[in-house]
Amino acid sequence: MTDSTYLAALRMLARRELSEQQIRQRLARRHHDPDAIDSAVARLKENRSLDDKRVSGALARSEVGLKRHGRLRAQRQMEAAGITPELVRRALDEVFASVDPDELIAMALAKRLRWGNLIEDDAHFRRLYRFLIGQGFEPDRVFATLRAHRMQRSQS
């Protein structure tokens, strides 16, 4: 039974990087024995098929680089995947060392505004603010970016 649990976990990892917590949850949902899960996880860690540090880096790069999420949302997503807060912090620090947070907000805003490029009124400003906060950006930066965008467009 242990070998089948190990093989099931390997198949999961062949599709994508998963954290230890995610592997444990998925194996438990498939009714694998808890002792077999422990044994399989230990074996996967031993041969480095399972490495939460590697997973944290991959998740951080994906959340910020591909999905264009802010630090707070990326942190929530990574913690939900079972990555320890220390690994989350390190991975995000590494990713954000090469990313300009204000540029990230500007790209998210541009994508949301699409063609119009105008903040029409106060209600639209508030909707954009809530959207950007939901994307994990810091409230002060979001407010400053939206104000600057509104002023820039009104002067044009």
PDB file of all heavy atoms in Angstrom, residues 1 4-5 7-13 15 18 22-34 37:
ATOM      1  N   MET A   1       0.825  -1.203   0.000  1.00  0.00           N
ATOM      2  CA  MET A   1       0.000   0.000   0.000  1.00  0.00           C
ATOM      3  C   MET A   1       0.865   1.262   0.000  1.00  0.00           C
ATOM      4  O   MET A   1       0.522   2.243  -0.597  1.00  0.00           O
ATOM      5  CB  MET A   1      -0.935  -0.029   1.217  1.00  0.00           C
ATOM      6  CG  MET A   1      -2.001   1.023   1.176  1.00  0.00           C
ATOM      7  SD  MET A   1      -3.187   0.676  -0.118  1.00  0.00           S
ATOM      8  CE  MET A   1      -4.617   1.403   0.574  1.00  0.00           C
ATOM      9  N   SER A   4       1.905   2.244  -3.551  1.00  0.00           N
ATOM     10  CA  SER A   4       0.833   2.856  -4.341  1.00  0.00           C
ATOM     11  C   SER A   4       0.605   4.306  -3.906  1.00  0.00           C
ATOM     12  O   SER A   4       0.319   5.164  -4.746  1.00  0.00           O
ATOM     13  CB  SER A   4      -0.458   2.042  -4.237  1.00  0.00           C
ATOM     14  OG  SER A   4      -0.993   2.112  -2.934  1.00  0.00           O
ATOM     15  N   THR A   5       0.758   4.584  -2.626  1.00  0.00           N
ATOM     16  CA  THR A   5       0.625   5.958  -2.134  1.00  0.00           C
ATOM     17  C   THR A   5       1.764   6.815  -2.671  1.00  0.00           C
ATOM     18  O   THR A   5       1.544   7.937  -3.139  1.00  0.00           O
ATOM     19  CB  THR A   5       0.624   5.978  -0.586  1.00  0.00           C
ATOM     20  OG1 THR A   5      -0.435   5.144  -0.115  1.00  0.00           O
ATOM     21  CG2 THR A   5       0.443   7.379  -0.053  1.00  0.00           C
ATOM     22  N   LEU A   7       3.528   6.271  -5.402  1.00  0.00           N
ATOM     23  CA  LEU A   7       3.336   6.447  -6.844  1.00  0.00           C
ATOM     24  C   LEU A   7       2.229   7.457  -7.155  1.00  0.00           C
ATOM     25  O   LEU A   7       2.338   8.243  -8.099  1.00  0.00           O
ATOM     26  CB  LEU A   7       3.058   5.107  -7.515  1.00  0.00           C
ATOM     27  CG  LEU A   7       4.239   4.129  -7.520  1.00  0.00           C
ATOM     28  CD1 LEU A   7       3.816   2.785  -8.081  1.00  0.00           C
ATOM     29  CD2 LEU A   7       5.410   4.714  -8.299  1.00  0.00           C
ATOM     30  N   ALA A   8       1.174   7.421  -6.352  1.00  0.00           N
ATOM     31  CA  ALA A   8       0.087   8.394  -6.539  1.00  0.00           C
ATOM     32  C   ALA A   8       0.608   9.813  -6.305  1.00  0.00           C
ATOM     33  O   ALA A   8       0.291  10.740  -7.065  1.00  0.00           O
ATOM     34  CB  ALA A   8      -1.067   8.088  -5.587  1.00  0.00           C
ATOM     35  N   ALA A   9       1.427   9.977  -5.279  1.00  0.00           N
ATOM     36  CA  ALA A   9       2.003  11.292  -4.990  1.00  0.00           C
ATOM     37  C   ALA A   9       2.945  11.729  -6.112  1.00  0.00           C
ATOM     38  O   ALA A   9       2.933  12.903  -6.515  1.00  0.00           O
ATOM     39  CB  ALA A   9       2.742  11.261  -3.657  1.00  0.00           C
ATOM     40  N   LEU A  10       3.734  10.812  -6.629  1.00  0.00           N
ATOM     41  CA  LEU A  10       4.641  11.137  -7.739  1.00  0.00           C
ATOM     42  C   LEU A  10       3.860  11.588  -8.974  1.00  0.00           C
ATOM     43  O   LEU A  10       4.265  12.525  -9.665  1.00  0.00           O
ATOM     44  CB  LEU A  10       5.504   9.934  -8.098  1.00  0.00           C
ATOM     45  CG  LEU A  10       6.843   9.803  -7.401  1.00  0.00           C
ATOM     46  CD1 LEU A  10       7.577   8.557  -7.883  1.00  0.00           C
ATOM     47  CD2 LEU A  10       7.698  11.027  -7.556  1.00  0.00           C
ATOM     48  N   ARG A  11       2.749  10.913  -9.245  1.00  0.00           N
ATOM     49  CA  ARG A  11       1.914  11.312 -10.389  1.00  0.00           C
ATOM     50  C   ARG A  11       1.379  12.733 -10.195  1.00  0.00           C
ATOM     51  O   ARG A  11       1.320  13.512 -11.137  1.00  0.00           O
ATOM     52  CB  ARG A  11       0.770  10.324 -10.596  1.00  0.00           C
ATOM     53  CG  ARG A  11       1.185   9.057 -11.324  1.00  0.00           C
ATOM     54  CD  ARG A  11      -0.010   8.215 -11.751  1.00  0.00           C
ATOM     55  NE  ARG A  11      -0.806   7.740 -10.626  1.00  0.00           N
ATOM     56  CZ  ARG A  11      -0.541   6.639  -9.917  1.00  0.00           C
ATOM     57  NH1 ARG A  11       0.514   5.898 -10.220  1.00  0.00           N
ATOM     58  NH2 ARG A  11      -1.313   6.278  -8.924  1.00  0.00           N
ATOM     59  N   MET A  12       1.003  13.059  -8.963  1.00  0.00           N
ATOM     60  CA  MET A  12       0.513  14.414  -8.676  1.00  0.00           C
ATOM     61  C   MET A  12       1.614  15.445  -8.925  1.00  0.00           C
ATOM     62  O   MET A  12       1.383  16.499  -9.510  1.00  0.00           O
ATOM     63  CB  MET A  12       0.051  14.517  -7.221  1.00  0.00           C
ATOM     64  CG  MET A  12      -1.200  13.759  -6.902  1.00  0.00           C
ATOM     65  SD  MET A  12      -1.516  13.901  -5.129  1.00  0.00           S
ATOM     66  CE  MET A  12      -2.598  12.506  -4.887  1.00  0.00           C
ATOM     67  N   LEU A  13       2.808  15.111  -8.466  1.00  0.00           N
ATOM     68  CA  LEU A  13       3.938  16.032  -8.615  1.00  0.00           C
ATOM     69  C   LEU A  13       4.423  16.129 -10.057  1.00  0.00           C
ATOM     70  O   LEU A  13       5.053  17.116 -10.432  1.00  0.00           O
ATOM     71  CB  LEU A  13       5.092  15.609  -7.698  1.00  0.00           C
ATOM     72  CG  LEU A  13       4.842  15.825  -6.211  1.00  0.00           C
ATOM     73  CD1 LEU A  13       5.913  15.134  -5.384  1.00  0.00           C
ATOM     74  CD2 LEU A  13       4.773  17.303  -5.890  1.00  0.00           C
ATOM     75  N   ARG A  15       2.516  16.513 -12.544  1.00  0.00           N
ATOM     76  CA  ARG A  15       1.665  17.503 -13.203  1.00  0.00           C
ATOM     77  C   ARG A  15       2.043  18.928 -12.834  1.00  0.00           C
ATOM     78  O   ARG A  15       1.977  19.832 -13.655  1.00  0.00           O
ATOM     79  CB  ARG A  15       0.196  17.256 -12.853  1.00  0.00           C
ATOM     80  CG  ARG A  15      -0.375  16.085 -13.613  1.00  0.00           C
ATOM     81  CD  ARG A  15      -1.875  15.954 -13.357  1.00  0.00           C
ATOM     82  NE  ARG A  15      -2.141  14.561 -13.079  1.00  0.00           N
ATOM     83  CZ  ARG A  15      -2.443  14.035 -11.894  1.00  0.00           C
ATOM     84  NH1 ARG A  15      -2.564  14.773 -10.869  1.00  0.00           N
ATOM     85  NH2 ARG A  15      -2.646  12.761 -11.733  1.00  0.00           N
ATOM     86  N   LEU A  18       3.685  20.924  -5.935  1.00  0.00           N
ATOM     87  CA  LEU A  18       2.727  20.958  -4.828  1.00  0.00           C
ATOM     88  C   LEU A  18       3.497  21.004  -3.519  1.00  0.00           C
ATOM     89  O   LEU A  18       4.593  20.456  -3.416  1.00  0.00           O
ATOM     90  CB  LEU A  18       1.833  19.717  -4.853  1.00  0.00           C
ATOM     91  CG  LEU A  18       0.919  19.556  -6.062  1.00  0.00           C
ATOM     92  CD1 LEU A  18       0.308  18.165  -6.069  1.00  0.00           C
ATOM     93  CD2 LEU A  18      -0.166  20.611  -6.060  1.00  0.00           C
ATOM     94  N   GLN A  22      -0.419  20.161   0.505  1.00  0.00           N
ATOM     95  CA  GLN A  22      -1.295  19.839  -0.623  1.00  0.00           C
ATOM     96  C   GLN A  22      -1.231  18.357  -0.963  1.00  0.00           C
ATOM     97  O   GLN A  22      -2.262  17.726  -1.225  1.00  0.00           O
ATOM     98  CB  GLN A  22      -0.922  20.679  -1.838  1.00  0.00           C
ATOM     99  CG  GLN A  22      -1.262  22.146  -1.694  1.00  0.00           C
ATOM    100  CD  GLN A  22      -0.721  22.981  -2.825  1.00  0.00           C
ATOM    101  OE1 GLN A  22       0.428  22.806  -3.233  1.00  0.00           O
ATOM    102  NE2 GLN A  22      -1.529  23.898  -3.334  1.00  0.00           N
ATOM    103  N   ILE A  23      -0.027  17.772  -0.944  1.00  0.00           N
ATOM    104  CA  ILE A  23       0.122  16.333  -1.220  1.00  0.00           C
ATOM    105  C   ILE A  23      -0.625  15.528  -0.159  1.00  0.00           C
ATOM    106  O   ILE A  23      -1.369  14.590  -0.474  1.00  0.00           O
ATOM    107  CB  ILE A  23       1.617  15.935  -1.254  1.00  0.00           C
ATOM    108  CG1 ILE A  23       2.272  16.445  -2.529  1.00  0.00           C
ATOM    109  CG2 ILE A  23       1.792  14.432  -1.131  1.00  0.00           C
ATOM    110  CD1 ILE A  23       1.875  15.708  -3.787  1.00  0.00           C
ATOM    111  N   ARG A  24      -0.414  15.889   1.096  1.00  0.00           N
ATOM    112  CA  ARG A  24      -1.083  15.164   2.189  1.00  0.00           C
ATOM    113  C   ARG A  24      -2.605  15.237   2.056  1.00  0.00           C
ATOM    114  O   ARG A  24      -3.301  14.238   2.203  1.00  0.00           O
ATOM    115  CB  ARG A  24      -0.650  15.715   3.549  1.00  0.00           C
ATOM    116  CG  ARG A  24       0.755  15.340   3.937  1.00  0.00           C
ATOM    117  CD  ARG A  24       1.119  15.904   5.316  1.00  0.00           C
ATOM    118  NE  ARG A  24       2.460  15.541   5.692  1.00  0.00           N
ATOM    119  CZ  ARG A  24       2.803  14.365   6.206  1.00  0.00           C
ATOM    120  NH1 ARG A  24       1.886  13.436   6.389  1.00  0.00           N
ATOM    121  NH2 ARG A  24       4.055  14.104   6.519  1.00  0.00           N
ATOM    122  N   GLN A  25      -3.131  16.418   1.757  1.00  0.00           N
ATOM    123  CA  GLN A  25      -4.581  16.588   1.612  1.00  0.00           C
ATOM    124  C   GLN A  25      -5.132  15.764   0.448  1.00  0.00           C
ATOM    125  O   GLN A  25      -6.157  15.096   0.576  1.00  0.00           O
ATOM    126  CB  GLN A  25      -4.930  18.059   1.399  1.00  0.00           C
ATOM    127  CG  GLN A  25      -4.769  18.904   2.635  1.00  0.00           C
ATOM    128  CD  GLN A  25      -4.945  20.384   2.345  1.00  0.00           C
ATOM    129  OE1 GLN A  25      -4.872  20.841   1.197  1.00  0.00           O
ATOM    130  NE2 GLN A  25      -5.165  21.159   3.401  1.00  0.00           N
ATOM    131  N   ARG A  26      -4.440  15.798  -0.665  1.00  0.00           N
ATOM    132  CA  ARG A  26      -4.928  15.084  -1.853  1.00  0.00           C
ATOM    133  C   ARG A  26      -4.863  13.573  -1.659  1.00  0.00           C
ATOM    134  O   ARG A  26      -5.761  12.852  -2.093  1.00  0.00           O
ATOM    135  CB  ARG A  26      -4.141  15.518  -3.083  1.00  0.00           C
ATOM    136  CG  ARG A  26      -4.478  16.949  -3.478  1.00  0.00           C
ATOM    137  CD  ARG A  26      -3.584  17.491  -4.534  1.00  0.00           C
ATOM    138  NE  ARG A  26      -3.872  18.914  -4.715  1.00  0.00           N
ATOM    139  CZ  ARG A  26      -3.707  19.567  -5.828  1.00  0.00           C
ATOM    140  NH1 ARG A  26      -3.222  18.951  -6.894  1.00  0.00           N
ATOM    141  NH2 ARG A  26      -3.985  20.837  -5.915  1.00  0.00           N
ATOM    142  N   LEU A  27      -3.827  13.099  -1.014  1.00  0.00           N
ATOM    143  CA  LEU A  27      -3.736  11.659  -0.749  1.00  0.00           C
ATOM    144  C   LEU A  27      -4.819  11.229   0.255  1.00  0.00           C
ATOM    145  O   LEU A  27      -5.429  10.168   0.089  1.00  0.00           O
ATOM    146  CB  LEU A  27      -2.346  11.288  -0.231  1.00  0.00           C
ATOM    147  CG  LEU A  27      -1.212  11.370  -1.258  1.00  0.00           C
ATOM    148  CD1 LEU A  27       0.142  11.182  -0.571  1.00  0.00           C
ATOM    149  CD2 LEU A  27      -1.397  10.337  -2.363  1.00  0.00           C
ATOM    150  N   ALA A  28      -5.058  12.052   1.262  1.00  0.00           N
ATOM    151  CA  ALA A  28      -6.090  11.726   2.253  1.00  0.00           C
ATOM    152  C   ALA A  28      -7.472  11.705   1.600  1.00  0.00           C
ATOM    153  O   ALA A  28      -8.296  10.834   1.919  1.00  0.00           O
ATOM    154  CB  ALA A  28      -6.047  12.729   3.396  1.00  0.00           C
ATOM    155  N   ARG A  29      -7.732  12.641   0.687  1.00  0.00           N
ATOM    156  CA  ARG A  29      -9.025  12.655  -0.020  1.00  0.00           C
ATOM    157  C   ARG A  29      -9.228  11.396  -0.839  1.00  0.00           C
ATOM    158  O   ARG A  29     -10.356  10.977  -1.084  1.00  0.00           O
ATOM    159  CB  ARG A  29      -9.121  13.873  -0.938  1.00  0.00           C
ATOM    160  CG  ARG A  29      -9.620  15.121  -0.259  1.00  0.00           C
ATOM    161  CD  ARG A  29     -10.074  16.166  -1.262  1.00  0.00           C
ATOM    162  NE  ARG A  29      -9.114  16.442  -2.299  1.00  0.00           N
ATOM    163  CZ  ARG A  29      -8.338  17.518  -2.367  1.00  0.00           C
ATOM    164  NH1 ARG A  29      -8.410  18.428  -1.451  1.00  0.00           N
ATOM    165  NH2 ARG A  29      -7.492  17.674  -3.364  1.00  0.00           N
ATOM    166  N   ARG A  30      -8.118  10.804  -1.281  1.00  0.00           N
ATOM    167  CA  ARG A  30      -8.197   9.570  -2.071  1.00  0.00           C
ATOM    168  C   ARG A  30      -8.127   8.332  -1.173  1.00  0.00           C
ATOM    169  O   ARG A  30      -7.880   7.232  -1.661  1.00  0.00           O
ATOM    170  CB  ARG A  30      -7.082   9.560  -3.112  1.00  0.00           C
ATOM    171  CG  ARG A  30      -7.324  10.638  -4.160  1.00  0.00           C
ATOM    172  CD  ARG A  30      -6.362  10.523  -5.300  1.00  0.00           C
ATOM    173  NE  ARG A  30      -6.714  11.507  -6.316  1.00  0.00           N
ATOM    174  CZ  ARG A  30      -5.861  12.292  -6.914  1.00  0.00           C
ATOM    175  NH1 ARG A  30      -4.579  12.222  -6.619  1.00  0.00           N
ATOM    176  NH2 ARG A  30      -6.263  13.159  -7.825  1.00  0.00           N
ATOM    177  N   HIS A  31      -8.309   8.539   0.111  1.00  0.00           N
ATOM    178  CA  HIS A  31      -8.433   7.464   1.101  1.00  0.00           C
ATOM    179  C   HIS A  31      -7.180   6.608   1.273  1.00  0.00           C
ATOM    180  O   HIS A  31      -7.271   5.415   1.537  1.00  0.00           O
ATOM    181  CB  HIS A  31      -9.647   6.582   0.792  1.00  0.00           C
ATOM    182  CG  HIS A  31     -10.911   7.377   0.634  1.00  0.00           C
ATOM    183  ND1 HIS A  31     -11.516   8.008   1.690  1.00  0.00           N
ATOM    184  CD2 HIS A  31     -11.648   7.674  -0.465  1.00  0.00           C
ATOM    185  CE1 HIS A  31     -12.593   8.651   1.262  1.00  0.00           C
ATOM    186  NE2 HIS A  31     -12.694   8.471  -0.053  1.00  0.00           N
ATOM    187  N   HIS A  32      -6.027   7.232   1.151  1.00  0.00           N
ATOM    188  CA  HIS A  32      -4.791   6.520   1.449  1.00  0.00           C
ATOM    189  C   HIS A  32      -4.603   6.473   2.958  1.00  0.00           C
ATOM    190  O   HIS A  32      -5.028   7.380   3.680  1.00  0.00           O
ATOM    191  CB  HIS A  32      -3.585   7.196   0.778  1.00  0.00           C
ATOM    192  CG  HIS A  32      -3.555   7.007  -0.707  1.00  0.00           C
ATOM    193  ND1 HIS A  32      -2.956   5.918  -1.301  1.00  0.00           N
ATOM    194  CD2 HIS A  32      -4.043   7.761  -1.721  1.00  0.00           C
ATOM    195  CE1 HIS A  32      -3.079   6.005  -2.609  1.00  0.00           C
ATOM    196  NE2 HIS A  32      -3.741   7.121  -2.892  1.00  0.00           N
ATOM    197  N   ASP A  33      -3.960   5.448   3.432  1.00  0.00           N
ATOM    198  CA  ASP A  33      -3.701   5.251   4.850  1.00  0.00           C
ATOM    199  C   ASP A  33      -2.782   6.358   5.384  1.00  0.00           C
ATOM    200  O   ASP A  33      -1.768   6.668   4.728  1.00  0.00           O
ATOM    201  CB  ASP A  33      -3.048   3.871   5.044  1.00  0.00           C
ATOM    202  CG  ASP A  33      -2.758   3.587   6.496  1.00  0.00           C
ATOM    203  OD1 ASP A  33      -3.715   3.559   7.285  1.00  0.00           O
ATOM    204  OD2 ASP A  33      -1.555   3.422   6.820  1.00  0.00           O
ATOM    205  N   PRO A  34      -3.079   6.945   6.543  1.00  0.00           N
ATOM    206  CA  PRO A  34      -2.229   8.009   7.099  1.00  0.00           C
ATOM    207  C   PRO A  34      -0.759   7.595   7.279  1.00  0.00           C
ATOM    208  O   PRO A  34       0.147   8.399   7.033  1.00  0.00           O
ATOM    209  CB  PRO A  34      -2.868   8.325   8.452  1.00  0.00           C
ATOM    210  CG  PRO A  34      -4.306   7.944   8.283  1.00  0.00           C
ATOM    211  CD  PRO A  34      -4.288   6.759   7.347  1.00  0.00           C
ATOM    212  N   ILE A  37       0.811   7.653   3.913  1.00  0.00           N
ATOM    213  CA  ILE A  37       1.032   9.044   3.491  1.00  0.00           C
ATOM    214  C   ILE A  37       2.317   9.578   4.119  1.00  0.00           C
ATOM    215  O   ILE A  37       3.153  10.169   3.437  1.00  0.00           O
ATOM    216  CB  ILE A  37      -0.181   9.936   3.855  1.00  0.00           C
ATOM    217  CG1 ILE A  37      -1.409   9.545   3.023  1.00  0.00           C
ATOM    218  CG2 ILE A  37       0.157  11.413   3.654  1.00  0.00           C
ATOM    219  CD1 ILE A  37      -2.692  10.247   3.425  1.00  0.00           C
TER     220      ILE A  37
END
